[in-house]
Amino acid sequence: MLEDILKQVAAGKLSPEDAQQQLATFENLGFAKVDHHRKKRQGFPEVIFGEGKEASHIIDISRAMLSKGDNVFITRMEKGKADAVMSALPAFQYDEISKTLFMKNKAFEQKFNDYIAIVCAGTSDLPVAEEAAKTAEACGVEVRRFYDVGVAGIHRLFAHIDEIREATVSVVIAGMEGALPSVVGGLVSHPIIAVPTSVGYGANFNGLSALLTMLNSCASGISVVNIDNGFGGGYNAVLIHQIANRST
Amino acid sequence: MLEDILKQVAAGKLSPEDAQQQLATFENLGFAKVDHHRKKRQGFPEVIFGEGKEASHIIDISRAMLSKGDNVFITRMEKGKADAVMSALPAFQYDEISKTLFMKNKAFEQKFNDYIAIVCAGTSDLPVAEEAAKTAEACGVEVRRFYDVGVAGIHRLFAHIDEIREATVSVVIAGMEGALPSVVGGLVSHPIIAVPTSVGYGANFNGLSALLTMLNSCASGISVVNIDNGFGGGYNAVLIHQIANRST
Amino acid sequence: MLEDILKQVAAGKLSPEDAQQQLATFENLGFAKVDHHRKKRQGFPEVIFGEGKEASHIIDISRAMLSKGDNVFITRMEKGKADAVMSALPAFQYDEISKTLFMKNKAFEQKFNDYIAIVCAGTSDLPVAEEAAKTAEACGVEVRRFYDVGVAGIHRLFAHIDEIREATVSVVIAGMEGALPSVVGGLVSHPIIAVPTSVGYGANFNGLSALLTMLNSCASGISVVNIDNGFGGGYNAVLIHQIANRST
Amino acid sequence: MLEDILKQVAAGKLSPEDAQQQLATFENLGFAKVDHHRKKRQGFPEVIFGEGKEASHIIDISRAMLSKGDNVFITRMEKGKADAVMSALPAFQYDEISKTLFMKNKAFEQKFNDYIAIVCAGTSDLPVAEEAAKTAEACGVEVRRFYDVGVAGIHRLFAHIDEIREATVSVVIAGMEGALPSVVGGLVSHPIIAVPTSVGYGANFNGLSALLTMLNSCASGISVVNIDNGFGGGYNAVLIHQIANRST
Amino acid sequence: MLEDILKQVAAGKLSPEDAQQQLATFENLGFAKVDHHRKKRQGFPEVIFGEGKEASHIIDISRAMLSKGDNVFITRMEKGKADAVMSALPAFQYDEISKTLFMKNKAFEQKFNDYIAIVCAGTSDLPVAEEAAKTAEACGVEVRRFYDVGVAGIHRLFAHIDEIREATVSVVIAGMEGALPSVVGGLVSHPIIAVPTSVGYGANFNGLSALLTMLNSCASGISVVNIDNGFGGGYNAVLIHQIANRST
Amino acid sequence: MLEDILKQVAAGKLSPEDAQQQLATFENLGFAKVDHHRKKRQGFPEVIFGEGKEASHIIDISRAMLSKGDNVFITRMEKGKADAVMSALPAFQYDEISKTLFMKNKAFEQKFNDYIAIVCAGTSDLPVAEEAAKTAEACGVEVRRFYDVGVAGIHRLFAHIDEIREATVSVVIAGMEGALPSVVGGLVSHPIIAVPTSVGYGANFNGLSALLTMLNSCASGISVVNIDNGFGGGYNAVLIHQIANRST
Amino acid sequence: MLEDILKQVAAGKLSPEDAQQQLATFENLGFAKVDHHRKKRQGFPEVIFGEGKEASHIIDISRAMLSKGDNVFITRMEKGKADAVMSALPAFQYDEISKTLFMKNKAFEQKFNDYIAIVCAGTSDLPVAEEAAKTAEACGVEVRRFYDVGVAGIHRLFAHIDEIREATVSVVIAGMEGALPSVVGGLVSHPIIAVPTSVGYGANFNGLSALLTMLNSCASGISVVNIDNGFGGGYNAVLIHQIANRST
Amino acid sequence: MLEDILKQVAAGKLSPEDAQQQLATFENLGFAKVDHHRKKRQGFPEVIFGEGKEASHIIDISRAMLSKGDNVFITRMEKGKADAVMSALPAFQYDEISKTLFMKNKAFEQKFNDYIAIVCAGTSDLPVAEEAAKTAEACGVEVRRFYDVGVAGIHRLFAHIDEIREATVSVVIAGMEGALPSVVGGLVSHPIIAVPTSVGYGANFNGLSALLTMLNSCASGISVVNIDNGFGGGYNAVLIHQIANRST
C-alpha cells in the first residue's frame, strides 16, 4: 500500500500533503497494519467484559457494535444488570449460570466438523465451565460438556474418556486441588487449556492452590489461564480449534 | 499410685519425707504420668533426627539408647556423616536412598497380618518415599511399594489398585502438582497420609504447590504432613496400623 | 468375575454380545471395580457439602439418597437454608453450632467399644469442633468432647489427659497460634488429626498461622487437614476408628 | 477388540484362560486403551527430563528407547553430565545454550508448511527460549527465532511483527516484568504460549512477577506454562501446530 | 503444701482419702500450682475478648467475675453489643473509640509513681492506641498519650520526646509503613512494645507492611505484638511497668 | 535567626527567659527549621486524606485551612460523605470519578508552560487516573489525559505518543498485568511515575501483579507508588514538574 | 543547659558567636540531647553487628571503642573472622556456639539480685538461645538456661517451671512450630520475649511458621522479635531487667 | 522527514523504490521515530547490565559503543569479570564497592549548578548507594553522599538535613525496616527516589520488608524502584535533575 501511494506521488496523482495525511491514518499505513489482525479473528463475536461497567455504558457499546452487524457476547453480567440491558436490547439472550449475554446478528461464517471438550471437576465449578462453553458457542463452535468428573471418583471420567479424546482441544476446569487437568493430560493427546477456579475453602487461597497445581502439572500439553477465567479458557480453545480447521 | 503412697504414709510405713521425694520424681507421680505414654508406643525404635546434629553427638545419643537394648533409627543422614557414625557403631545399616541408619538390637514385639502401602508419584520422590518405608520397616511393619504411578499415566496406578486397596493405610507421596493422593483417595477406603515433596521447579515454590493441593483435596480420608516429611508419613501410618492390629 | 463370564461364553451359556454388555457396565467389570470401594465405607452416611448449593438442589439430592434408605448428613448449612430443607424434609435434625443437618433412616451397622476424642483450644473454635463431632456421630461413633483446653492454660488440658489418652484417635482443633496438637501429641500415643481454624486476627492470615504451626509440629503422630475443615477431621478419625474396630 | 476375543472364546478358538490373560494386559483391553494416546503423539521424540537424574541412569533409559528406534530428546543437562552421556552414546548432539541433548534415529514423519515463532524479550531469557526452540525442532517442526524484542524497545518487535503473525502459534518468553506476551497478544491472531522466566532481581521473586503478569494479561489468546519451562512452551506449541497441520 | 498434707496423714490427722482428694484439686497441689501465677498478676482486671462472643454470653461471664468482686475489662465491643451488655449491667462504662467496656468494682491495689507512654503515628491508628491506653488504665496505670507524631512530620515527635523518655515503657502504634517505633527506639532508652496496625491501603496487605517493618527495626529494644493488638501492647507494657515498680 | 536572638540577649534587649521561650517554639529555632520546608512546597493546596475520616471531622479541618486562605483538596471521598461536607461548605466542588473535593480560594501562584501526561491502560483504571489528574490540577498544573491506551491494542498508544513525549513527566496507570509503564518507558525520555491499580481478577491479588510488574520493569526511568495511589502518582509528578519550571 | 548559656550571654560572659557555636554542636544543645539517651543505657557494652563486616573493619571499630574503656560485644562472627579479629585483639573471647566475641575492659556497673530465664525448645535452637544468653551476660546480668524443654515433651518444662517463674523476664526461643512461648506464657506472670528461629524444614519457610505462631499466641504477655534474633531477645530482656532493678 | 521524502518523490528527485526503502529503515521513518527518544537522553553514557553476561560478550558490546565515541558505564561487575574486561580495555575504571566500570571518552555535555543527594541508612547498604552515586556521576551530575544516617540515630540525619534539602532530588537507600525515606520525605520538599535493599535478616525476606515500607510511606513525594536497584535510583534522579536544569 505504501508502494501504491509512493507511485501515485511520483506520478503526480497525489500531492505530498495528501500522501502524508493518508500515511498518517491508521487505515492506510504504519500502525494501521497493527490493527489488521483483528480482521483475521473472523467468526468471533465482539466481546464485552461486563464486570465493573454500568448497564447504560454496556448498552451504548453494544449498540455501536450491533450497528456493524456483529454478533455480540458479554461476560460477567449479574442478573440485574443483564435485565437492564435486555430491556433496552431485547434481542440479547441471557444465560444465568455463565452470566453471559449473547446476541446473534449474523450466521457463523465457518463450519467445523469437530468439537471442543469442556471437562469440569465439580458442580461448583459449573459457572466457570459454562462461561467457557458459551464463549465457544458464541464463536459457532460445537462444545461437548463432561461435568462432575473430578479425580476423587475417577471412574466417571473414564466413562467418557473416548469422547473427550476425539475433541480437538479440551478446556479442563477445576477448583479445590485442581488435579483434573493432570489426569486428563495423561489420557489425551490434544492440547489442554486448564482453568483454575476459586472454588474451595481454607488453604485454597481463592484459587491459588488450583493455579499452582496446574502450572506444576507433570503431564505435558497443558497451559493455564487465570483463576476463574472461563472466557479465557474458551477463547484459547476456539483459537486452536480454528487453526485446526483452517484448511477445511 | 498416689493412693498407695498415701496409705503407706498413714500406716507409718513411709515417712512424709520419703513420700514427698517419691511424689516429686517423674517416675512416680504427677507429671511422671505424662511420660507414661512413651511406654505405649512399644514396638517403635528410638528415633533420632540426624539433620543438623554432628556425628559425634549422634554417636553419644545412640550409645545411650543402645545401652537400654532399644532398636535405633536415624533419619536425614548424609553419607559422610553416616560413615562416621558407622565407623564407631558398625552394627548400624545405612540406606543410601532414604538416608537412614538402622540398628536392630531386639526382635519386633508385634506381628501384623497386613501391610502398609507406600504409593509414590515419580522417581524423583523416591528418597521421601523410602524414608517413609524405612520408618515403617524399622517398626516391624511390612510395607509394599507402588512407585512411579503418577497421575499423568494413570493406568500404571490402576494396574496395582487392588493390592493398594488391601493395605491398612496408604502413605501417598507426590511432588510437582501433588495430585496423586486425591486420585488414590477416590479409589480406596482406608486412611491416606499424604506427603508433599519439594520436587518440582518454577512455581512449585519448594513444595508449597503440592502441599496446598493435598490440603485442598476433594477426596475424603486424606490428612497431610509437612513437605518432604517421609518419616512423618511412615510414622503416622504405623500408628494407625498398630491400632488396627491391637486386638490380634 | 471376568473368569466366570468367559467360562460361560466358552460353555455357550452366554452370547458374546451379552458378555460384552455385561463387561461394559460399571456394575460388572473394569472400572466398575473402581466403584466398589464405596461399599466398604459402610456405616457412613451419605454426605452432602451444603455450601454453595441451593436448598432446592439439596432437597433433590437428599430425596434420591433417602429413597435408598441411607442416612444423610449435610454440612455447611446456614440456618435459613437448613430451615428451607427441613420444611420439605422435616425428618432432618439441625444442629446450629456445627451448621449440620442429619437424618437417620436406619440403625448404625457397627458397634464400637471405644470413642474418639475431640479436643478444642478455645470457645471460638467450637463450630469447627462440633462439625467434627457431628460427623463422627453421624457414623455411629461415640465422641467425647474436651473443649476450652488451650495451651495458655495448660492445667485444664491435664485435668482431662487420661480420658483423652484412652481414645482411639483424637481430633485436635485450634486457631490463633495452633499449638494445641503439638502439646497433645507429646502426651498421647494414638494418632492425632489436627484441624487448624481461621479463628484469630492480625497476622493469623485466615488460619495460615495455625496451619503452618501444625504442619511443623515437632511432635510425631500428627497429620493435618484443611483450615476449618471439621468434617475432614471427623471423617479421618472415623476411618481410623473403623479400622481399629474391624476385628470386633 | 473385546468383541473379537469374546467371539473367539464362543467359537472355542480361545480358551477362557488365554482370553483372560489377553484382557489382563495393557496392550489388549481396558486400561490399555488408556495407553493408546501415546501412539497418537507420533512425530514426538521420547523425552527425558534430565534434572536430578544421574548420567548412568540417563544412559540406561536412552538405550532402552534407542533400541526401539525412537528419536530421543533430553532436557536440563548440565555440560558435565551431557559429556558423560555422550561418551557412552556419541550419537547424541549437545546444545549448550538450551542444555539439551538430541539423537535423531529416524526421519521425522510429518512435513509442515508453516512454522512456530519463538519470541523472546531479552538475551538473558535465551536459555529458556532455546529450550522451547530445540523441543519443537526435535519434533521436526520449523521454528523462527525473534530474540531481544522486549517491550522497552518496542520498535524492534514491530520490525518483525509480520513474520511473527504468519506463524501458526507463538511461544513468547519473558522475564523481569513479563509484559511481552501481552503486547504480542494484541498484535497477532494465533494462540500464544507464554513462558515466564526467573530472570530478574529484587522483587522479581524468581519469576513470580513475570508469571503473574502473564496470567493477568488483558490480551486474549494467551495461556501460560510454568516458570522457566521452555520445554512446556515448545511442547504445547507443537501440539497445536500438529493439529493445525493434521489434514495436510 | 504437699509437705503439710503428708505430715497430717502421718500424724493421722488426715485420712489418705481426704488427702488424695485435696491433692487432686487444682486449688491444692500439682497442676494447681500451675494456676497460682494468676494470683501474681494482681492489679489486673479480669479480661474478656469480646469479638465473636454474643452479648448474652458476655453478660454471663461478666456476672461470674463480678460476683468475685473483680474489676472487669472487655475488648472488641461494637457499640450495639456494648449497649446490650450495659442494659443488663449498667455499671459498665463504654469507650467508643477503643471499643472497650470497663467496670471498676474495687480500688487498684498498687500505686505507681511513673507512667506508660502511648505513642501513635496517625489519627487513623487511634482506636488501636486507645485500646492499649484503656488496657493500661484498667490496671490502674497512668498513661500519657502522644498522638499524631508520625515520622513524616518528625518535629511533632521531638516536641514531646523528653516526656516520652521519662516513661517506664512505651507502646508505639503505627500503620502504613510502621516506621515510628524505629525512630522512637533511637531516642529513648526504655523498652518499646511496637503495635502494627492494619491502617493503610494498597501494598499494606492488612498490616503486614507495618509488621515486617517493626520486626526488622534496626533500633534495639523493640519487641512486637500482633497486628491491631492494642490490648497486647498495653498488657505487655503494664507487665513491665509492674516489675519496674515492684520494690516500691 | 539564632544569631539575632543571641545578639539581642547580649545587648540586653532580650531577657534570657524570653530568649529561651522564643527558642523553644517551632517558629523560631531548632526543630522549627524542620517545618520550613512546608513553605517551599508552595502552590500546593492543603491536602486531606478523606478515607476513614468522618464528615464532621473533615469539615473542621477544612475550616481551619480555609481560614488561612489556602486551597483545599480532599481525596477518597465517597459521594455520601462528600455531600455532607458540601452542605456545610458549598464552595467545594466534587468530582465523582476521582472521588475528590476541591475548593479554590486563591489563584495558583505559578504559571507553567508545559504539562503532565496521565496515561491509563483501561477504562476500569479511570478512577485512579483521575485522582492523579485532579491532584495535579489542584496544584495549578495542566494535565493531558491519554486514556484506554493499554498494551493489548498498542496502536492506540502510538497514535498519541508524540504528545506524551512532549510532557515534562508522565503518570502511567495500569491494572491487570501492569505492562503499560514498561512500554511507555521505552518510548519517552522523561521520568515516569507508575501507579499499579487493583483492577483485575484471579491471580491479580489486589494489584500485587501490576505492582511487581512495574517494579521489575526492564525500561529505565520508572519509579513506582503504592497500589491505587493516584494521589501519590499525581503528587510526585507535580513535584518534578515544579522543579522543571523553577527557573521560569 | 540552654538556660545557662543564655544567662552567660546576658551577663556578657559569653559572646553571641561562642554561644552560637556551642549551641550548634551535638555535645551541647539541641539534637545533642538526642544523643544523651545512650548514656542512660549504661552497663551495656558497645555492640557490633559482625555479619557482613570485614575483619579489618571490625578491628578498627573495636579499637575506637576500646580506647574509651568500654566493654565490646560482637555478634554474628563466623569462626574464621573471629580468629582474624582475635589475632589482632587477643583480649577478645570467642564463643563458638553463639558466634559472639566479648572483651571486658571494666567491671559491670550494676549488681542485680535476680536473673533472666533463657528457655529453649530444641537443641537445634541452641545458637540463637546462646546469642541471647551471651548478650545478657555481656551486660552483667545473670542468666539461667532451660534448654530442650519443647512442648512435645512438656513434662521436661514442668520440671523447671518454678525456677523459670522466679526470673524477672524470660526469653523463649523456638523453631519449627514455635509453640513454646504460648505454653510458658500460660505458666508465668512476668514478660516474655519470644524469639522464632529458622530451624525446621518444609513448610517452616525459614522461620515464618514460628514467627506467626508467636505473634498469634493466645497467651498474654508475649512480644516478639525477628527470626533468629537472639541478640534482640537478650537485649530486650536486659532492658526490662534493668528497669526492674533500677531502685536497688 | 516524511514530508521531505514525499516532496522529493513528487519532485522526481527520489524514485518510489528508494523512498520505500528509506521509509522502511529505522533511521528514517515510522518506527524509527520510536528510536529518536534515545537521542534526547543525551549526556547519558551507554549502559550495560553486567550481571549474567560473560566478560567476552561485554568486551564486544563495549567496543561497539566505544567506536561511536560514547561514554560507557557497566553495572553489576564482580571483580574477576571486571579484571577480564579491563585487561582487554584498560581505559575502564573499576569501582569495587559499587561494582561498576566506567570509561569516559568525551566530556559531559551539560553543566549543572546543583547536585543530587544520596542518603543511605547503614554501612551495609553502601554498595547499593554507591551504584546510585556512580550512575549519576557517569552522567556528569554532582552527587553528595550522606551515609550512615539511619533512623535509629536520627540526630545524624539532622546534622546534614540542610544540605540534603538544597539538592534537586534525593535518592534514599535503606534496608532492614526501610524507614529512612519516610523521615527524609517529611523534611525535604523535593522528589525522593527510594531504593529498598535486601540488607537484613529473618523476616526481612530479601528486601520485601523495606520495599513494602517505602511503598506505604505516609510521607508524600516518594516513589520507589526495585530492591537493590541502585542504578534505577540514580538513573531516575538524573532524569529529574536534567529536567530541572534544562533551561540553563
Side-chain angles (χ1 to χ4, degrees), chain H residues 62-79:
Chain H
S62 299
R63 280 196 175 124
M65 289 169 173
L66 296 169
S67 69
K68 303 189 203 153
D70 289 327
N71 295 338
V72 179
F73 181 65
I74 317 180
T75 63
R76 309 268 162 141
M77 292 294 285
E78 290 303 321
K79 181 145 198 346

Side-chain angles (χ1 to χ4, degrees), chain D residues 151-154 158 176-177 179 182-183 185-187 201-205 208-209 212-219, chain F residues 151-154 158 176-177 179 182-183 185-187 201-205 208-209 212-219:
Chain D
V151 297
I154 210 162
F158 283 118
M176 303 188 78
E177 85 267 64
S182 292
V183 174
L187 295 171
Y201 53 108
N204 170 282
F205 298 124
L208 180 64
S209 170
L212 293 181
T213 299
M214 292 172 182
L215 285 169
N216 285 289
S217 175
C218 51
Chain F
V151 297
I154 209 163
F158 284 119
M176 301 188 82
E177 85 269 64
S182 291
V183 176
L187 295 172
Y201 52 107
N204 169 285
F205 299 124
L208 181 65
S209 169
L212 293 180
T213 300
M214 292 172 181
L215 285 169
N216 285 290
S217 176
C218 51

Side-chain angles (χ1 to χ4, degrees), chain C residues 152 154 177 182 186 203 209 213 216, chain G residues 152 154 158 177 182 186 203 209 213 216:
Chain C
I154 211 162
E177 85 267 64
S182 292
S209 169
T213 299
N216 285 288
Chain G
I154 210 164
F158 283 119
E177 85 268 64
S182 292
S209 169
T213 300
N216 285 289

Side-chain angles (χ1 to χ4, degrees), chain A residues 227-245:
Chain A
I227 298 164
D228 288 336
N229 190 1
F231 169 74
Y235 192 91
N236 276 285
V238 172
L239 274 188
I240 296 171
H241 192 73
Q242 281 195 325
I243 294 178
N245 285 274

Side-chain angles (χ1 to χ4, degrees), chain A residues 28-42:
Chain A
N28 294 329
L29 183 75
F31 292 104
K33 190 171 59 175
V34 173
D35 215 14
H36 273 322
H37 75 274
R38 303 241 114 190
K39 288 280 145 54
K40 288 193 187 167
R41 285 189 184 170
Q42 49 189 312

Side-chain angles (χ1 to χ4, degrees), chain F residues 65-245:
Chain F
M65 290 169 170
L66 296 168
S67 69
K68 302 190 203 153
D70 289 327
N71 295 338
V72 179
F73 182 64
I74 316 180
T75 63
R76 308 270 163 141
M77 294 293 287
E78 291 304 321
K79 181 146 198 347
K81 197 153 68 178
D83 286 343
V85 170
M86 285 189 290
S87 70
L89 297 166
F92 267 117
Q93 289 194 310
Y94 184 60
D95 178 67
E96 200 158 347
I97 298 175
S98 64
K99 296 189 193 307
T100 56
L101 278 171
F102 183 54
M103 196 192 295
K104 190 175 175 182
N105 293 296
K106 58 178 181 184
F108 298 119
E109 298 169 27
Q110 202 172 358
K111 287 281 173 292
F112 305 112
N113 298 320
D114 37 25
Y115 55 90
I116 289 173
I118 311 281
V119 185
C120 177
T123 50
S124 313
D125 302 319
L126 238 140
V128 179
E130 276 301 304
E131 193 185 83
K134 291 293 178 190
T135 300
E137 290 174 346
C139 298
V141 175
E142 182 191 351
V143 308
R144 298 209 187 153
R145 291 161 170 84
F146 306 90
Y147 289 178
D148 202 13
V149 295
V151 297
I154 209 163
H155 56 288
R156 290 173 301 193
L157 174 63
F158 284 119
H160 302 290
I161 195 64
D162 283 339
E163 195 177 356
I164 295 171
R165 274 184 187 145
E166 295 304 315
T168 324
V169 53
S170 289
V171 183
V172 185
I173 296 104
M176 301 188 82
E177 85 269 64
L180 188 57
S182 291
V183 176
V184 176
L187 295 172
V188 308
S189 60
H190 58 245
I192 289 173
I193 311 295
V195 187
T197 76
S198 57
V199 170
Y201 52 107
N204 169 285
F205 299 124
N206 299 317
L208 181 65
S209 169
L211 171 63
L212 293 180
T213 300
M214 292 172 181
L215 285 169
N216 285 290
S217 176
C218 51
S220 302
I222 296 173
S223 59
V224 187
V225 296
N226 204 352
I227 297 163
D228 288 335
N229 190 2
F231 169 74
Y235 192 91
N236 277 284
V238 172
L239 274 188
I240 295 171
H241 191 73
Q242 281 195 324
I243 295 179
N245 285 275

Side-chain angles (χ1 to χ4, degrees), chain B residues 55-65 89:
Chain B
S56 63
H57 191 43
I58 292 173
I59 293 167
D60 289 347
I61 305 179
S62 299
R63 281 194 174 126
M65 289 168 171
L89 298 165

